[in-house]
Amino acid sequence: MSHSVYGRLMSVDRTQVLHSAAALLSRKATATMDEVARAAGIGRATLHRHFAGRDALVRALEQLALQELEAAFDEARLDEGTADEAVRRLVAGMEPMAPLLSFLVTENQLFEGDQQNDGWARLDARVSDLFRRGQEQGTFRIDLTPAWLTEALYGLIGAGAWAVQDGRVAAKDFQYMIVELLLGGARRSVEK
Amino acid sequence: MSHSVYGRLMSVDRTQVLHSAAALLSRKATATMDEVARAAGIGRATLHRHFAGRDALVRALEQLALQELEAAFDEARLDEGTADEAVRRLVAGMEPMAPLLSFLVTENQLFEGDQQNDGWARLDARVSDLFRRGQEQGTFRIDLTPAWLTEALYGLIGAGAWAVQDGRVAAKDFQYMIVELLLGGARRSVEK
DNA sequence: ACCGAATGAGACATCAATGTCTCGCTAGAT
DNA sequence: ATCTAGCGAGACATTGATGTCTCATTCGGT
């Protein structure tokens, strides 16, 4: 009896398939199952063996995103240091999954009417708490609700990913543009 | 011979159909032609008589959005008053088409590889010019490029539309949240 | 060297959406 | 009152993606 990581043989790495699917779908949301399979370098039948259908694939992508986001949030240590610094660490940690995020956000129209996956609620709460902490510490203005700042963060990350992919913003400026707009805003502040 | 507005009889109002299609598609981007027809209160065959196919429908929606955005930009008088005030007028004028905008932005993955519709380029240029003007007048920081601020504006409007539709932000706060974040940012400024 | 599990390729049925057509009807013009 | 353009409803063929199956092959473990 052989058992590798998960107790059985694994020729195709499920995670690797998901990542290439994410890369493709974030560029072409309507990509076919066959295109996803080819992009991952596997056959369509094999893709079907691992993910029952397109829905299952999207669900798996969502789970992957949730898991990686939780990890990124942990690593960003949202409750340490100033809220400013925590936001910077957060954006930096989220950059690698910006394309996947923007795909899932648009795909989340699937969940309209359905129960919201509470995994997203947990993440939203963590970000909201961060902004709330910044407000309580006097760093952030209190007239913008934490909920809105959370939405704005996602929106700006999506816009940034799109702008970079379209060549309107240099990839190296991704974090700076988002963080500076979110934290500092377009209006010039006398402090700074 | 009879000729009304456009030289012939019109039982179904093409613009009205497009607006209801926009309302539906912004909520459910994968809506079927049949669903679009039902939402507009017409038959599927009739919808097909007016728009050859789904592509043609999306193109028409795009043209409608371009036309209404141009009008909104004109009415916002982007080159009058301070850049701040112009941005406020701009966001106010764009609010009614926020859902349509967010739909088209995600749908614009269709144009990947194709030629970008230069109508969008014109609009982008007008917004970019506004931000550039604000920079030259010393109101806006110069380390955020006009191109990025333009993308951010679209991104925030999309995020705002989504947040409102999802009940996370009150509709009446839509303009305020977007404008204040875009102009003032999350970091509290001593002036204000 | 052997064996079995998993894969790739392809065939196949299914299904949903699309696009086209016909036909009976109605509203508006004359 | 009549006529006709345009509509709704439905039937129909077509298309493309999906999901399932089979079979030969390959790769890893023993």
Side-chain angles (χ1 to χ4, degrees), chain A residues 24-172:
Chain A
L24 172 61
L25 289 173
S26 64
R27 281 181 290 114
K28 183 178 179 179
T30 60
T32 225
M33 289 292 277
D34 189 75
E35 293 176 291
V36 172
R38 300 294 168 175
I42 65 177
R44 193 168 69 93
T46 304
L47 181 61
H48 260 282
R49 285 187 192 104
H50 285 269
F51 306 99
R54 189 193 177 76
D55 286 1
L57 178 64
V58 173
R59 294 294 176 90
L61 277 175
E62 189 185 20
Q63 291 308 313
L64 178 68
L66 286 173
Q67 163 188 332
E68 292 190 346
L69 278 179
E70 291 276 7
F73 283 18
D74 290 341
E75 192 159 358
R77 308 183 312 280
L78 301 186
D79 48 2
E80 294 181 18
T82 70
D84 258 63
E85 294 166 352
V87 168
R88 291 178 192 278
R89 289 194 300 265
L90 177 60
V91 172
M94 288 176 73
E95 177 171 8
M97 29 199 154
L100 175 55
L101 262 187
S102 58
F103 162 69
L104 286 175
V105 165
T106 68
E107 195 77 0
N108 271 8
Q109 60 203 346
L110 292 176
F111 303 131
E112 87 176 26
D114 294 26
Q115 55 173 8
Q116 276 281 27
N117 189 321
D118 58 346
W120 293 109
R122 278 171 46 87
L123 292 174
D124 284 357
R126 292 182 73 174
V127 180
S128 282
D129 287 345
L130 168 58
F131 286 119
R132 199 183 331 272
R133 180 166 76 88
Q135 288 178 333
E136 289 167 356
Q137 293 178 344
T139 326
F140 294 159
R141 27 196 306 188
I142 60 171
D143 57 340
L144 299 180
T145 66
W148 163 241
L149 291 174
T150 302
E151 297 292 332
L153 170 64
Y154 287 123
L156 287 177
I157 285 184
W162 191 67
V164 166
Q165 190 167 345
D166 240 59
R168 277 193 270 274
V169 170
K172 68 175 178 59

Side-chain angles (χ1 to χ4, degrees), chain B residues 11-12 38 41-44 46 49-50:
Chain B
S11 298
V12 300
R38 300 296 168 172
I42 65 177
R44 194 168 67 93
T46 304
R49 284 187 193 104
H50 286 268

